[in-house]
């Protein structure tokens, strides 16, 4: 049966799916036992849930990445710095979920402050990939992706600063969407790199991830970067199909070193889109090779500024010490290794004498990367690339090699630098491990990438 | 461009991070490896952004406000967005270790 046959309305689909969701008690039992994935940092108390019987998410449990401020549950960002922190206010996306009838299942694990690609940088231990527990689930929204892939919930929210929704979705075999910068309010999302951060959705299917995105999207006066753009029906886009759509294949995303089995799955995805009525043509995004260095200059520069507030006075668990400066330093010792590394890099690239050599150059490179996309989208509707060069890698493999870890994001950071929407959809397995295809669209063109992903998903479902 | 252990200590001071000897050694190695990769940016030789863009990449995107003036947040009074508000003050949780009753 294709997804088209299944679609009646979003609420009916999710109600049916909701009935299959494991109870919170069951999640607690699984997460508290020896087989725990460590996907959740906090699980809601079933007795405190206020079930709603109306709305598109009526009764559906949603997991939230633990950098999204939520009343009634801690918000730790996976950091000892915010251990036990309870936000006095709620993020706009959480309010929207509750209004839509959704139930907050709990808060999911992440790389500390969203800094990582494997969820190994959490102060509360790594999350395991439910597909193979010896592997990472990706990151930084690894807890959300693992919770959906394990069947704990059907939908979850993550945040995506350089691929943190799309890459874990690909590693865990689920769907992840990063919307256009400004599409979803960041009010209540704890900042890592403010010009790159965007809340995204993860779902077991394209429909579920898209419906959740539709619910959380829209203008919010409390976020000055929020867009006053009408939100189209993403649910409808899932079944629009790709007849007449022009899909670009950026040559820079298919380097010679790309694993042949990864390339073969992407080739097959292309063929399926052509069979569904799309036209495919090559395009060039010539500044792609500079995306990772550009990203790590800008993201760390913004992080060093955003994380300056964790000093034990404004925010953060204070560590007492003799004198104010020592108290600051002792408190900031709560940061983990990767966060310290990025604060150091960000402070360096912003420091006197190096600012233009690094930050200024990176800003100009960012403009060139965005310019590449603008030119490509004047010729094609959507771009198709791998989400990640490899499937999930073993726990511990890249922890001691930051550059190798950063290169995990090589195909995803460009969308954040340009602010365009991106989506990862499963397209098969390599060595038994899920692989994702990334669809990139023009600014505010989420409906295009959702339509292409819906067509791909339907094509693969027809095989089963 | 490479950085020394002394540079790392100085950056640590600027960032208000206390670094022990092992951390200085490790960060010196890590930062040099990362900066070696980052130096490829300078090979681009970009001194100006692309012609049809401003400095920020996001300026290439359509205007998110669509030319429509949004509500000015400064026109809102704090009571409109404060989680809790009492007699002209924000009500916030007491800091750790502080007993609110002692202030009264």
């Amino acid at each position: 049966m294709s997804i088209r046959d299944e679609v009646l309305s979003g609420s009916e689909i999710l109600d049916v799916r909701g009935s299959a969701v494991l109870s919170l008690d069951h999640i607690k039992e699984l997460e508290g036992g020896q087989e725990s994935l460590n996907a959740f940092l906090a699980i809601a108390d079933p007795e405190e849930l206020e079930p709603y019987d109306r709305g598109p998410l009526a009764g559906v449990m949603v997991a939230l990445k633990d950098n999204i401020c939520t009343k009634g549950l801690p918000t730790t960002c996976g950091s000892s710095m915010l251990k036990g922190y309870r936000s006095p206010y709620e993020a706009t996306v959480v309010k929207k979920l509750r209004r839509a009838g959704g139930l907050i299942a709990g808060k999911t694990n992440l790389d500390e402050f969203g800094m990582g690609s494997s969820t190994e940088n959490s102060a509360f231990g790594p999350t395991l990939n439910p597909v193979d527990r010896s592997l990472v689930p990706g990151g930084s929204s690894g807890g959300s992706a693992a919770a959906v892939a394990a069947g704990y919930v059907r939908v979850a929210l993550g945040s995506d600063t350089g691929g943190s929704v799309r890459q874990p979705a690909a590693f865990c075999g689920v769907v992840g969407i990063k919307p256009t910068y400004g599409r979803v309010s960041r009010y209540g999302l704890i900042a890592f790199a403010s010009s790159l951060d965007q809340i995204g959705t993860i779902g077991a299917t394209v429909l579920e991830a898209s419906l959740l995105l539709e619910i959380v999207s829209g203008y919010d006066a409390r976020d000055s970067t929020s867009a006053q753009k009408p939100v189209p029906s993403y649910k409808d886009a899932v079944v629009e199909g790709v007849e007449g759509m022009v899909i670009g294949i950026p040559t820079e995303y298919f380097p010679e070193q790309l694993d042949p089995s990864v390339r073969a799955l992407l080739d097959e995805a292309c063929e399926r889109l052509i069979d569904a009525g799309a036209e495919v043509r090559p395009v060039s995004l010539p500044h792609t090779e500079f995306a990772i260095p550009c990203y790590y200059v800008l993201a760390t520069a913004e992080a060093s500024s955003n994380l300056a507030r964790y000093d034990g006075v404004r925010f953060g668990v204070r560590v007492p010490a003799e004198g104010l400066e020592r108290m600051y330093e002792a408190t900031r010792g709560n940061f983990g290794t990767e966060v310290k590394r990025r604060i150091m890099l960000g402070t360096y690239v912003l420091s006197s004498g190096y600012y233009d050599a690094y930050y200024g150059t990176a800003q100009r490179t960012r403009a060139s990367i965005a310019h590449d996309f603008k030119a490509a989208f004047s010729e094609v509707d959507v771009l198709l690339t791998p989400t990640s060069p490899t499937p999930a890698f073993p726990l511990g493999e890249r922890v001691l090699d930051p550059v190798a870890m950063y290169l995990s994001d090589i195909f995803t950071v460009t969308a954040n630098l340009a602010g365009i929407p991106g989506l990862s959809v499963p397209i098969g397995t390599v060595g038994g491990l899920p692989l994702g295809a990334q669809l990139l669209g023009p600014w505010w063109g989420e409906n295009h990438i959702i339509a292409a992903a819906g067509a791909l998903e339907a094509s693969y479902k027809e095989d089963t | 461009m490479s950085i020394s252990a002394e540079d790392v200590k100085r950056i640590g001071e600027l960032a208000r991070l206390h670094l022990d000897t092992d951390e200085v050694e490790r960060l010196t190695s890590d930062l040099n490896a990362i900066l070696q990769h980052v130096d490829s940016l300078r090979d681009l030789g970009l001194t100006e952004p692309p012609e049809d863009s401003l400095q920020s990449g996001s300026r290439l995107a359509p205007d998110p406000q669509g030319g429509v003036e949004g509500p000015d947040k400064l026109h809102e009074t704090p009571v409109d967005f404060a989680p809790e508000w009492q007699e002209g003050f924000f009500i916030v949780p007491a800091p750790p270790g502080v007993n609110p009753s002692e202030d009264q």
Side-chain angles (χ1 to χ4, degrees):
Chain A
M1 183 188 290
S2 77
I3 196 165
R4 288 175 176 79
D5 298 320
E6 287 181 28
V7 173
L8 296 171
S9 76
S11 59
E12 284 163 359
I13 286 285
L14 284 169
D15 278 341
V16 171
R17 300 281 158 83
S19 68
V21 170
L22 296 169
S23 70
L24 287 175
D25 283 340
H26 196 183
I27 297 174
K28 278 185 178 171
E29 189 182 326
L30 291 170
E31 281 284 88
Q34 287 188 331
E35 297 297 304
S36 170
L37 296 170
N38 200 27
F40 280 91
L41 294 180
I43 298 172
D45 183 343
E47 292 185 3
E48 291 185 9
L49 290 179
E50 294 178 28
Y52 292 86
D53 59 0
R54 61 184 66 181
L57 285 176
V60 172
M61 285 198 286
V62 186
L64 304 178
K65 187 174 181 178
D66 202 25
N67 59 354
I68 298 173
C69 291
T70 313
K71 274 190 171 176
L73 287 166
T75 300
T76 69
C77 281
S79 178
S80 298
M81 183 64 86
L82 288 175
K83 189 175 183 182
Y85 173 70
R86 286 182 179 260
S87 169
Y89 73 102
E90 193 143 77
T92 297
V93 290
V94 182
K95 284 186 179 171
K96 287 189 170 194
L97 290 178
R98 292 194 201 273
R99 274 190 224 124
L103 303 174
I104 308 306
K107 307 297 289 292
T108 56
N109 203 2
L110 69 159
D111 288 297
E112 186 176 3
F113 285 99
M115 298 183 193
S117 308
S118 66
T119 317
E120 293 170 290
N121 294 334
S122 169
F124 308 109
T127 294
L128 311 183
N129 190 322
V131 178
D132 180 335
R133 305 165 68 84
S134 69
L135 306 177
V136 301
S140 62
S141 310
S144 289
V148 173
Y152 295 163
V153 290
R154 295 293 297 189
V155 284
L157 289 183
S159 64
D160 191 315
T161 305
S164 288
V165 161
R166 292 160 286 157
Q167 184 251 30
F171 280 14
C172 293
V174 294
V175 177
I177 308 176
K178 182 207 90 78
T180 308
Y181 185 81
R183 178 63 94 187
V184 175
S185 170
R186 290 184 297 115
Y187 180 76
L189 170 69
I190 295 180
F192 158 17
S194 307
S195 78
L196 302 159
D197 294 338
Q198 190 64 188
I199 290 174
T201 62
I202 295 174
T205 63
V206 176
L207 176 64
E208 286 159 311
S210 304
L211 181 56
L212 193 67
L213 180 62
E214 192 175 318
I215 289 165
V216 298
S217 291
Y219 176 69
D220 178 14
R222 289 176 172 172
D223 173 3
S224 62
T225 61
S226 169
Q228 287 188 316
K229 291 275 182 187
V231 179
S233 169
Y234 298 141
K235 182 189 71 176
D236 292 347
V238 175
V239 291
E240 267 175 17
V242 292
E243 189 71 46
M245 186 182 279
V246 181
I247 294 174
I249 308 296
T251 50
E252 292 81 2
Y253 286 67
F254 294 84
E256 280 183 16
Q257 314 89 291
L258 188 65
D259 188 316
S261 50
V262 173
R263 185 186 297 271
L265 283 182
L266 266 296
D267 287 346
E268 183 190 337
C270 264
E271 290 301 322
R272 287 174 183 268
L273 288 167
I274 292 169
D275 290 346
E279 178 192 336
V280 172
R281 67 171 73 152
V283 294
S284 178
L285 300 166
H287 292 90
T288 301
E289 68 173 297
F290 302 104
I292 287 285
C294 173
Y295 173 82
Y296 278 95
V297 168
L298 298 179
T300 58
E302 293 188 28
S304 72
S305 173
N306 274 326
L307 271 58
R309 72 190 70 174
Y310 298 98
D311 56 11
V313 176
R314 289 167 291 179
F315 287 94
V317 176
R318 181 182 297 182
V319 178
E322 190 76 22
L324 186 64
E325 285 296 329
R326 287 195 178 178
M327 187 278 289
Y328 285 152
E329 289 188 352
T331 295
R332 287 167 70 76
N334 281 318
F335 287 132
T337 302
E338 181 60 26
V339 173
K340 281 185 185 172
R341 189 185 285 135
R342 294 196 194 198
I343 289 173
M344 291 289 289
L345 181 59
T347 305
Y348 178 71
V349 299
L350 288 176
S351 61
S352 176
Y354 300 105
Y355 178 88
D356 193 62
Y358 288 112
Y359 189 78
T361 304
Q363 281 287 42
R364 290 188 285 274
T365 308
R366 179 181 193 172
S368 297
I369 287 167
H371 186 264
D372 287 351
F373 279 115
K374 188 181 180 189
F377 288 125
S378 68
E379 296 176 19
V380 303
D381 300 305
V382 163
L383 297 166
L384 177 73
T385 80
T387 305
S388 171
T390 65
F393 48 86
L395 286 156
E397 183 184 84
R398 300 182 190 179
V399 169
L400 298 177
D401 186 348
V403 174
M405 187 69 89
Y406 297 171
L407 288 171
S408 309
D409 303 329
I410 194 163
F411 297 143
T412 50
V413 295
T414 49
N416 301 80
L417 289 167
I420 60 172
L423 180 157
S424 181
V425 60
I427 55 165
T429 58
V430 171
L433 303 177
L435 193 82
Q438 177 177 235
L439 293 151
L440 300 172
W443 294 270
W444 319 113
E446 285 84 355
N447 46 331
H448 299 312
I449 57 175
I450 288 169
L456 267 179
E457 185 181 64
S459 169
Y460 286 102
K461 271 195 172 182
E462 281 170 6
D463 294 349
T464 59
Chain B
M1 207 178 287
S2 67
I3 61 175
S4 65
E6 286 307 309
D7 293 330
V8 168
K9 286 180 193 168
R10 175 67 187 136
I11 301 163
E13 286 172 13
L14 290 172
R16 288 179 165 155
L17 292 172
H18 173 75
L19 306 172
D20 61 30
T21 310
D22 288 347
E23 283 181 305
V24 169
E25 191 179 329
R26 194 183 61 242
L27 280 165
T28 305
S29 166
D30 288 351
L31 293 183
N32 275 315
I34 296 165
L35 288 171
Q36 192 178 0
H37 194 69
V38 166
D39 278 344
S40 67
L41 280 182
R42 295 194 297 171
D43 298 342
L44 259 173
L46 284 177
T47 53
E48 297 292 334
E51 271 182 20
D52 57 349
S53 72
L54 297 177
Q55 185 78 355
S56 162
S58 60
R59 297 295 183 88
L60 280 160
D63 174 11
Q65 310 307 331
V68 179
E69 283 289 321
D72 185 346
K73 289 176 73 175
L74 294 177
H75 290 164
E76 290 184 45
T77 58
V79 73
D80 291 332
F81 55 82
E84 288 185 66
W85 177 261
Q86 189 180 313
E87 296 174 359
F89 292 96
F90 292 104
I91 305 299
V92 298
V98 174
N99 183 352
S101 61
E102 290 176 0
D103 297 336
Q104 294 169 4

